[in-house]
């Protein structure tokens, strides 16, 4: 079983350390792992994500799951943070996402524009901010510059930065797409180089056909375990969390999640897979995640 | 009959609450509903909108209708606010629109540029600011960033933000156009996610042919009532107001408006349908709206 | 004879009122009308405009005409204002133009960049600032945002804003060109909506062929008088001044100018038609304009 | 012999006047004329300009020529100003160029980006700043806005602004190119309109074939003298200096330079023609220029 | 053997001099030469650069090499500087790179966006900042403006600026590519003109076929020695360091490096060639570099 970086070894400034300590040791599993519930899909995909689970249209649903399912934090955009979080403040830490976009226009050269600031996060009592970086987009120059201003503001306020590091855009497609070990691996390193404290990655998919389009150095057989370890390695001293993905069978999702933890991940981010279920099922899945994470203290 | 969010449940900062309270309980119907008169068409469409009702060319006409028709507020751009509103200040609240554009150049990738600031609104004694968001435009990154700066300034001053949330642009056209339930629904959620306090929507049109171009999740039969409820639901803890549209038969417009209120809307925004009539007719229609809204306290 | 707005009815802030009062009642005709001499053609068209009247190459020529011809103000760019105006300060009010461009590159998507600030105008003792707005240009978003910053600065300093409101660009050409009643009318309204205190318009040309390309609402017969009244009406509570155009027969220019005044204009802006003549002829024409304007107190 | 503007007639602010006085009356010919040595070709053309005169690769060479050849000032970019000027400070005034570019990418739509600030110039004890304006470029809007910020900063610090006013770009080519009397004449006026204190022009070339592509007003026979007088006239109350061009025969360069002075120029800017020679030859040419300029006090 | 500029002759401000003194005389060879270890390839090339030397994936590896191999400084991006440098602070000076990009999108018009600031460098105790300039890119205007802001901030804080000056982009390709003596020579001069204190260059490659595409002045036979001297000459009063390139045979790399020193370089930057080896081999190579540099005090 791989080691994950310990908070004490990350050389974090006191504000960042105090806030991450809260997420890692005072809420959720509280054993140094993370279990985060994101509710940003309404902006990224539109309300269609809520259609199979009608309760989920009301953001209170996700906030209740986060509190009663004992998550480490809930991650959402400024609108929900201002209108819903006040009722739950103190009961569940907040990760304020600072940028976002709709899926409507073309994704050839994506850029996720800033829609809130670190100062908003401080004002709302958030314990971290989130940023979506589109690694490989031809607009990386704007993305990096935008991220820099946020990273600097976060350094000033001692606010941890969680980077959703996503390979995207035409050049990524030409090199095998967003799910190859090459793409995810590069995304992990870029987030580390730019100053992420926590990096959210998608689990790389092992698809030999697509991998052929990637650079030569990646041309070998990868087991899923090796792939996971590689991308976690590339994140270095940044904590890695993996997505639970769309709603699937609970058991297989848990297996996949456990593989991530085994490979050295610090935690999990379970969104649709949790809240696209009825409340009681969501609680059940949350409990299972808790049980599993207890084994990775 | 659907519930609409109550001001007390919105977790608003005191400045926003005090100002929205004025609009909801001290002017217009004063029963928690909104009845807003917009006069921004001179910029958006040009003077042609005034041609069938010559009196309407003089902005005093709309200001008089707003005052004598006992509207909750009048919404206009900075030019009219500075040159006409002084004579009516105190008699009718002002919603200062902060961006706008002409219809002359192509609407393929629309962006409505900022032409006034929240500080202008504070200086003029406005009770809210208005912002037009073009959801789905390929320039959404500029739009969201522009909105962010305004939203932050509004948070600083406790100024409510009304978002005219309009699906627009080539990608929206390719997915069925600006009037599908898909497009309006996404627009409602985006405005909520970005931090709108009040969202102005157009009534979705149920057109099966166009809906076929929208994402699969929307592929079902929608009654007009279901469509209205859906988009209001997607606005969450933001108040929703619907447009009365162009001048049509008074009765049918009222029926349509009442359907909105029944579905859970907080209010209505009646522009051309009111002021493209002679003054006495406009007063008559205003009275009818009042009577109807009284039933939705 | 149409009414023009009176200074007292414009709800202007004290600084704007004091400065416009000077232009309207203390210099030039001093009877509430305006008679302005612009010398911005050196930038907009280049020196070629001076070739038929060699004296006009020296900016002192225009400054002398403005002073001795008893104009209400001279309008020029920062370069002439800094290098020539000092010798005439006190003798003739200054309208400092804040943006401008050459005619050399394509005019498909025009934008007139800012080259001076309201603060420059304050420092130089100007009584107003000028801004050229290209209504209908596909770069209207940049134009409106640039204008906003200037308008806000002008509000802060109590500085009147004169907008040269010009329909321009490919979309305007496609709808009949810059001289149709449609184009000029829309331009007038846009300037009003954005916060102009004074609007400079070109006299609309009645050309049925071109008008056919404009929106339906404009498809009717317009007399020149109706067209003038319409565009003045669309300027609302902003004062309207019309251009005297290029040098033509003095008499016909005066007739055209008087038609503008009859229709409700507040004043005239005579540039090339005045200074493309020898000094004595220019004085003569100035006197004729004075005589005419005396009839429109 | 034409008159050139006298410093006292330029209405300059005290800081600008004091600094220009130094350049005009305390260094170089010190008789009201200017003799400037530019060393900005390393950036604009690359090191190739130094290849025929190997000593010229070392910037000390040009600084020594400027000092020992008794020039009025040396003009260079920030890098040389910071690394070489300290050794010569006090012995030769500095004109700090504030923008520049390489010749490597296409010149279709040129823009010379800012690489230093007026504040840098103040800090380094410079007596003027230099700015290259590409008149006619389709990026004139960015150029003018960039120049405005510099001009305003220069006004704040009382720092004279020397504009290298160059017609450039595709539209200029389509109208006969950068050397026609039309192009240079327009460039002179633009620099004046934007607020230049000193304007550097290239000597217009009289080429009837190219002139045919220029606007009609310029379609006449021009003697070289007339052309020079015309462009100086168009610079108005801004002082004009002309380039000595590439290294040619000393005598013909002096003749050409003297023609400029006769036509009313205030001075000369001799770069490659001076420093592409061995030191002793450069001194000789400098002396000849001095002798000639003495005749134009 | 060529001379290299001495720190005392560079006219540096005290802060820059104190910090460069540390790099030149207190760490590394400490004899006035530089020996720098860069670890920025994870961002520029992605993790693939680490694949042949698995230990190198962990940034501690490079930091240890820098410390134990007695380098003058380590150069890295903000992410590694914040997460790894604290453990080594005091033991090895830091050069904080301020911009960077991935290699994923097209390199036709490259621009390396800013991802950290001089203030970050000050906060972290760095002794210099690094900037990658893409000389010849069609986006040179953005690059120069971005560099200017950084250079000004560095001047304010007395922070030395190391410019990685790389010829790049379509126009460079059209003129023979990034490795010709023409391209490297121009890059050296540009960095000097813009204000670099230290310039990192790649060793020019002598390839007659490619050189044919360069400007005429470069059309001659160049020995490798002449080429090196030329580009060092073009860097003037800026110190030059050369790259050791990818991992090759140790001996040939040392020969190449010594040729640079002989030609007048101030130092070397050895990255992959050092850390793509096992630790003991890396130490051995470091010692060899030290020995060689001792001969160039």
């Amino acid at each position: 079983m791989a080691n994950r970086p310990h908070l004490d070894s990350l050389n974090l400034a006191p504000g960042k350390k105090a806030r991450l300590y809260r997420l890692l040791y005072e809420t959720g599993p509280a054993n140094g792992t993370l279990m985060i519930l994101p509710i940003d899909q309404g902006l990224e995909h539109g309300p269609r994500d809520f259609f199979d689970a009608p309760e989920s249209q009301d953001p209170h649903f996700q906030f209740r799951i986060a509190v009663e399912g004992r998550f480490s934090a809930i991650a959402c955009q400024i609108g929900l943070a201002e209108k819903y979080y006040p009722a739950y403040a103190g009961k569940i830490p907040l990760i304020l996402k600072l940028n976002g976009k709709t899926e409507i226009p073309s994704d050839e050269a994506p850029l996720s524009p800033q829609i809130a600031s670190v100062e908003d996060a401080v004002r709302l009592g958030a314990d971290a901010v989130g940023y979506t970086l589109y690694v490989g987009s031809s607009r990386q120059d704007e993305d990096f510059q935008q991220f820099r201003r946020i990273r600097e503001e976060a350094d000033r306020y001692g606010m941890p930065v969680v980077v959703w590091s996503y390979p995207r855009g035409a050049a990524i497609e030409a090199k095998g797409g967003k799910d190859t070990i090459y793409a995810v691996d590069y995304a992990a390193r870029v987030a580390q180089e730019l100053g992420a404290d926590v990096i959210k990655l998608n689990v790389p998919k092992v698809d030999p056909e697509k991998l052929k389009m990637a650079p030569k150095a990646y041309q070998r057989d990868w087991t899923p375990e090796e792939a996971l370890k590689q991308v976690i390695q590339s994140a270095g001293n940044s904590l890695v969390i993996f997505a639970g993905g769309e709603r699937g069978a609970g058991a297989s999702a848990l297996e996949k999640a456990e593989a991530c933890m085994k490979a050295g991940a610090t935690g999990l981010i379970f969104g649709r897979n949790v809240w696209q279920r009825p409340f009681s099922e969501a609680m059940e899945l949350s409990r299972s995640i808790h049980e599993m994470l207890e084994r990775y203290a």
Side-chain angles (χ1 to χ4, degrees), chain A:
Chain A
M1 195 170 95
N3 282 328
R4 74 200 93 256
H6 188 279
L7 185 58
D8 286 339
S9 72
L10 300 184
N11 300 308
L12 294 169
K16 290 196 174 202
K17 191 169 176 185
R19 288 183 170 100
L20 276 182
Y21 186 88
R22 208 171 304 155
L23 298 184
L24 288 161
Y25 295 104
E26 298 188 342
T27 62
N31 65 349
T33 65
L34 289 171
M35 176 177 157
I36 291 170
L37 187 138
I39 171 59
D40 57 351
Q41 297 83 354
L43 176 59
E44 300 291 336
H45 308 151
R48 67 177 170 81
D49 270 9
F50 309 122
F51 276 25
D52 288 341
E55 282 178 297
S56 70
Q57 291 199 71
D58 179 356
H60 283 299
F61 185 70
Q62 286 91 357
F63 277 87
R64 281 181 49 219
I65 291 175
V67 171
E68 300 186 24
R70 294 185 301 120
F71 276 74
S72 309
I74 188 166
C76 67
Q77 298 285 2
I78 184 74
L80 303 194
E82 290 195 334
K83 298 284 196 307
Y84 294 89
Y85 183 62
Y88 305 93
K91 297 178 190 156
I92 176 84
L94 173 68
I95 297 173
L96 184 67
K97 290 207 74 175
L98 301 188
N99 64 343
K101 64 171 190 59
T102 74
E103 64 175 14
I104 303 171
S106 159
D107 229 18
E108 275 255 308
L111 175 73
S112 184
Q114 187 177 354
I115 61 182
S117 66
V118 177
E119 203 177 302
D120 284 318
V122 172
R123 171 171 61 88
L124 293 165
D127 279 315
V129 293
Y131 186 91
T132 300
L133 193 73
Y134 288 128
V135 174
S137 169
S138 61
R139 295 180 74 183
Q140 68 177 338
D141 53 327
E142 296 170 66
D143 204 5
F144 285 14
Q145 286 160 341
Q146 180 178 259
F147 180 74
R148 172 178 70 86
R149 289 187 290 270
I150 284 169
R151 198 263 311 143
E152 285 181 348
E153 206 188 350
D155 271 328
R156 202 153 53 241
Y157 288 113
M159 179 67 70
V161 178
V162 184
V163 171
W164 273 243
S165 198
Y166 290 162
R168 279 299 144 82
I172 285 291
E173 290 310 309
K175 289 172 184 170
K178 64 191 172 63
D179 291 317
T180 65
I181 167 71
Y182 159 68
V184 179
D185 198 33
Y186 206 152
R189 180 82 187 198
V190 170
Q192 183 195 203
E193 294 272 352
L194 266 58
D197 300 305
V198 181
I199 304 175
K200 190 252 178 171
L201 297 175
N202 287 314
V203 175
K205 291 184 183 150
V206 179
D207 175 338
E209 280 314 302
K210 291 199 165 170
L211 197 55
K212 278 182 193 157
M213 305 160 75
K216 194 172 44 168
Y218 286 89
Q219 304 301 341
R220 56 160 123 148
D221 286 337
W222 295 86
T223 65
E225 292 68 34
E226 287 168 343
L228 280 169
K229 280 189 184 162
Q230 173 60 35
V231 303
I232 291 169
Q233 167 86 288
S234 287
N237 261 352
S238 307
L239 307 178
V240 176
I241 57 179
F242 281 100
E246 291 200 44
R247 179 180 166 186
S252 92
L254 273 176
E255 272 171 36
K256 197 170 137 191
E258 183 147 18
C260 294
M261 296 305 295
K262 268 192 191 138
T266 292
L268 303 165
I269 179 159
F270 264 85
R272 285 168 292 176
N273 212 333
V274 167
W275 55 247
Q276 281 178 344
R277 303 170 188 272
F279 192 81
S280 60
E281 263 189 50
M283 286 302 100
E284 208 176 305
L285 178 52
S286 302
R287 273 190 301 272
S288 306
I289 302 171
H290 265 279
E291 278 161 27
M292 186 267 279
L293 286 177
E294 270 161 32
R295 296 197 290 277
Y296 295 88

